[in-house]
Amino acid sequence: MEEAFEKPLRPRAITVICVIGFIGVAFSVLQFFVPKVQQLGAWYLPYLGGSLVVQLLCLVGLWHMKRWAVFAYAGFVLLNQLVLYTNNLWEVKALILPAVVVLLLLKYLPKMS
């Protein structure tokens, strides 16, 4: 007897998060060419590049409804907040949207594989 494995249906909210996230990653590449960003220090551009790769991997995982992507994204948000804070770049508005996204992803966690 063959068991049929159904792929979890992706909720519209996660689709919207992913589409906006993919667009955001694409536009974030432009930050490499902003003089103000380049003046933040030699560490920042490699950090930015690594952040974009992590975001992209998380978005692909979310698109495929993978639980690990929720935890990876939440960890990435925490790390990013810490980096911003330790470099005096942190603002409350830098936390609001990522926190809302994490809470929304946690809501859909039971539906993920």
Short mmCIF file of all heavy atoms in Angstrom, two decimals, residues 8-23 59 62-65 101 104-105 108 112:
data_model
loop_
_atom_site.label_atom_id
_atom_site.label_comp_id
_atom_site.label_asym_id
_atom_site.label_seq_id
_atom_site.Cartn_x
_atom_site.Cartn_y
_atom_site.Cartn_z
N PRO A 8 2.47 20.37 2.30
CA PRO A 8 1.63 21.33 3.03
C PRO A 8 1.29 22.54 2.16
O PRO A 8 2.15 23.05 1.46
CB PRO A 8 2.49 21.75 4.22
CG PRO A 8 3.66 20.85 4.24
CD PRO A 8 3.75 20.18 2.92
N LEU A 9 0.04 22.94 2.21
CA LEU A 9 -0.40 24.10 1.45
C LEU A 9 0.16 25.36 2.12
O LEU A 9 0.03 25.54 3.32
CB LEU A 9 -1.92 24.15 1.42
CG LEU A 9 -2.55 25.22 0.55
CD1 LEU A 9 -2.14 25.02 -0.91
CD2 LEU A 9 -4.05 25.17 0.67
N ARG A 10 0.81 26.19 1.35
CA ARG A 10 1.43 27.40 1.89
C ARG A 10 0.34 28.47 2.11
O ARG A 10 -0.36 28.84 1.17
CB ARG A 10 2.49 27.92 0.92
CG ARG A 10 3.27 29.10 1.45
CD ARG A 10 4.40 29.53 0.53
NE ARG A 10 4.00 29.64 -0.85
CZ ARG A 10 4.30 28.75 -1.81
NH1 ARG A 10 5.01 27.69 -1.53
NH2 ARG A 10 3.90 28.93 -3.04
N PRO A 11 0.22 28.95 3.34
CA PRO A 11 -0.76 30.02 3.61
C PRO A 11 -0.39 31.30 2.85
O PRO A 11 0.78 31.56 2.58
CB PRO A 11 -0.63 30.25 5.13
CG PRO A 11 -0.02 29.00 5.65
CD PRO A 11 0.87 28.48 4.56
N ARG A 12 -1.40 32.06 2.55
CA ARG A 12 -1.19 33.30 1.79
C ARG A 12 -0.25 34.25 2.52
O ARG A 12 0.58 34.91 1.89
CB ARG A 12 -2.53 33.98 1.55
CG ARG A 12 -2.40 35.21 0.67
CD ARG A 12 -3.71 35.73 0.24
NE ARG A 12 -4.34 34.67 -0.53
CZ ARG A 12 -5.50 34.79 -1.14
NH1 ARG A 12 -6.14 35.91 -1.09
NH2 ARG A 12 -6.02 33.80 -1.82
N ALA A 13 -0.33 34.31 3.85
CA ALA A 13 0.54 35.20 4.61
C ALA A 13 2.01 34.84 4.41
O ALA A 13 2.86 35.73 4.27
CB ALA A 13 0.18 35.15 6.10
N ILE A 14 2.32 33.57 4.37
CA ILE A 14 3.72 33.15 4.17
C ILE A 14 4.15 33.43 2.74
O ILE A 14 5.30 33.83 2.50
CB ILE A 14 3.91 31.68 4.56
CG1 ILE A 14 3.72 31.57 6.06
CG2 ILE A 14 5.27 31.16 4.11
CD1 ILE A 14 4.11 30.30 6.71
N THR A 15 3.25 33.27 1.79
CA THR A 15 3.57 33.62 0.41
C THR A 15 3.90 35.10 0.30
O THR A 15 4.89 35.48 -0.34
CB THR A 15 2.39 33.27 -0.53
OG1 THR A 15 2.13 31.87 -0.44
CG2 THR A 15 2.69 33.65 -1.97
N VAL A 16 3.11 35.95 0.95
CA VAL A 16 3.35 37.40 0.92
C VAL A 16 4.68 37.72 1.58
O VAL A 16 5.48 38.51 1.05
CB VAL A 16 2.18 38.16 1.59
CG1 VAL A 16 2.53 39.63 1.81
CG2 VAL A 16 0.92 38.02 0.77
N ILE A 17 4.95 37.11 2.75
CA ILE A 17 6.23 37.34 3.43
C ILE A 17 7.39 36.96 2.52
O ILE A 17 8.38 37.69 2.42
CB ILE A 17 6.29 36.53 4.75
CG1 ILE A 17 5.37 37.16 5.79
CG2 ILE A 17 7.72 36.43 5.28
CD1 ILE A 17 5.15 36.30 7.02
N CYS A 18 7.28 35.82 1.86
CA CYS A 18 8.38 35.36 0.99
C CYS A 18 8.57 36.28 -0.22
O CYS A 18 9.71 36.64 -0.55
CB CYS A 18 8.12 33.93 0.53
SG CYS A 18 8.31 32.71 1.84
N VAL A 19 7.49 36.66 -0.87
CA VAL A 19 7.61 37.53 -2.05
C VAL A 19 8.22 38.87 -1.66
O VAL A 19 9.17 39.35 -2.31
CB VAL A 19 6.24 37.71 -2.74
CG1 VAL A 19 6.29 38.80 -3.80
CG2 VAL A 19 5.77 36.40 -3.36
N ILE A 20 7.73 39.46 -0.58
CA ILE A 20 8.29 40.74 -0.12
C ILE A 20 9.75 40.54 0.29
O ILE A 20 10.61 41.38 0.01
CB ILE A 20 7.46 41.33 1.02
CG1 ILE A 20 6.10 41.77 0.49
CG2 ILE A 20 8.18 42.50 1.69
CD1 ILE A 20 5.10 42.19 1.55
N GLY A 21 10.03 39.42 0.94
CA GLY A 21 11.40 39.12 1.35
C GLY A 21 12.35 38.96 0.18
O GLY A 21 13.48 39.48 0.20
N PHE A 22 11.92 38.25 -0.87
CA PHE A 22 12.76 38.09 -2.06
C PHE A 22 13.04 39.44 -2.72
O PHE A 22 14.17 39.72 -3.13
CB PHE A 22 12.12 37.13 -3.07
CG PHE A 22 12.15 35.69 -2.67
CD1 PHE A 22 10.99 34.94 -2.67
CD2 PHE A 22 13.33 35.07 -2.30
CE1 PHE A 22 11.01 33.60 -2.30
CE2 PHE A 22 13.37 33.74 -1.93
CZ PHE A 22 12.20 33.00 -1.93
N ILE A 23 12.02 40.29 -2.78
CA ILE A 23 12.21 41.63 -3.34
C ILE A 23 13.16 42.43 -2.46
O ILE A 23 14.06 43.13 -2.96
CB ILE A 23 10.85 42.34 -3.51
CG1 ILE A 23 10.02 41.65 -4.59
CG2 ILE A 23 11.04 43.82 -3.85
CD1 ILE A 23 8.56 42.08 -4.65
N LEU A 59 14.17 32.30 3.34
CA LEU A 59 13.00 32.53 2.49
C LEU A 59 12.69 31.31 1.62
O LEU A 59 11.53 30.95 1.44
CB LEU A 59 13.22 33.77 1.62
CG LEU A 59 13.17 35.10 2.36
CD1 LEU A 59 13.69 36.23 1.47
CD2 LEU A 59 11.76 35.39 2.85
N LEU A 62 11.10 28.82 3.91
CA LEU A 62 9.72 29.20 4.21
C LEU A 62 8.80 28.94 3.02
O LEU A 62 7.67 28.50 3.19
CB LEU A 62 9.65 30.67 4.62
CG LEU A 62 10.28 31.01 5.96
CD1 LEU A 62 10.31 32.52 6.17
CD2 LEU A 62 9.56 30.32 7.10
N TRP A 63 9.30 29.22 1.84
CA TRP A 63 8.52 28.99 0.62
C TRP A 63 8.12 27.51 0.52
O TRP A 63 7.02 27.18 0.09
CB TRP A 63 9.33 29.40 -0.60
CG TRP A 63 8.55 29.33 -1.87
CD1 TRP A 63 8.56 28.31 -2.79
CD2 TRP A 63 7.65 30.31 -2.39
NE1 TRP A 63 7.72 28.60 -3.82
CE2 TRP A 63 7.15 29.83 -3.61
CE3 TRP A 63 7.24 31.55 -1.93
CZ2 TRP A 63 6.24 30.54 -4.37
CZ3 TRP A 63 6.33 32.27 -2.70
CH2 TRP A 63 5.85 31.77 -3.90
N HIS A 64 9.02 26.65 0.98
CA HIS A 64 8.77 25.20 0.95
C HIS A 64 8.16 24.69 2.26
O HIS A 64 8.09 23.48 2.48
CB HIS A 64 10.06 24.44 0.64
CG HIS A 64 10.53 24.67 -0.76
ND1 HIS A 64 9.91 24.13 -1.86
CD2 HIS A 64 11.56 25.40 -1.24
CE1 HIS A 64 10.54 24.50 -2.95
NE2 HIS A 64 11.55 25.28 -2.60
N MET A 65 7.76 25.63 3.14
CA MET A 65 7.08 25.31 4.40
C MET A 65 7.93 24.40 5.29
O MET A 65 7.46 23.41 5.84
CB MET A 65 5.72 24.67 4.13
CG MET A 65 4.72 25.59 3.46
SD MET A 65 4.18 26.92 4.54
CE MET A 65 3.19 26.04 5.72
N VAL A 101 6.90 39.37 11.92
CA VAL A 101 7.09 38.26 10.99
C VAL A 101 7.36 36.96 11.76
O VAL A 101 6.77 35.92 11.46
CB VAL A 101 8.23 38.56 9.99
CG1 VAL A 101 8.59 37.32 9.19
CG2 VAL A 101 7.82 39.69 9.06
N LEU A 104 4.17 35.69 13.33
CA LEU A 104 3.30 35.13 12.29
C LEU A 104 3.79 33.76 11.84
O LEU A 104 3.00 32.82 11.68
CB LEU A 104 3.23 36.09 11.10
CG LEU A 104 2.19 35.79 10.04
CD1 LEU A 104 0.79 35.81 10.65
CD2 LEU A 104 2.27 36.81 8.93
N LEU A 105 5.10 33.64 11.67
CA LEU A 105 5.66 32.34 11.27
C LEU A 105 5.43 31.29 12.34
O LEU A 105 5.13 30.13 12.02
CB LEU A 105 7.15 32.48 10.96
CG LEU A 105 7.53 33.35 9.76
CD1 LEU A 105 9.04 33.48 9.66
CD2 LEU A 105 6.94 32.79 8.48
N TYR A 108 2.11 29.61 12.10
CA TYR A 108 1.97 28.59 11.06
C TYR A 108 2.93 27.42 11.22
O TYR A 108 2.92 26.50 10.41
CB TYR A 108 2.16 29.22 9.67
CG TYR A 108 1.03 30.14 9.30
CD1 TYR A 108 1.20 31.51 9.26
CD2 TYR A 108 -0.22 29.64 9.01
CE1 TYR A 108 0.17 32.36 8.92
CE2 TYR A 108 -1.28 30.46 8.68
CZ TYR A 108 -1.08 31.82 8.64
OH TYR A 108 -2.11 32.66 8.30
N MET A 112 3.90 23.22 9.13
CA MET A 112 5.15 23.03 8.37
C MET A 112 5.75 21.66 8.61
O MET A 112 5.51 21.04 9.65
CB MET A 112 6.16 24.12 8.73
CG MET A 112 5.69 25.50 8.37
SD MET A 112 6.96 26.72 8.75
CE MET A 112 6.13 28.21 8.28
#
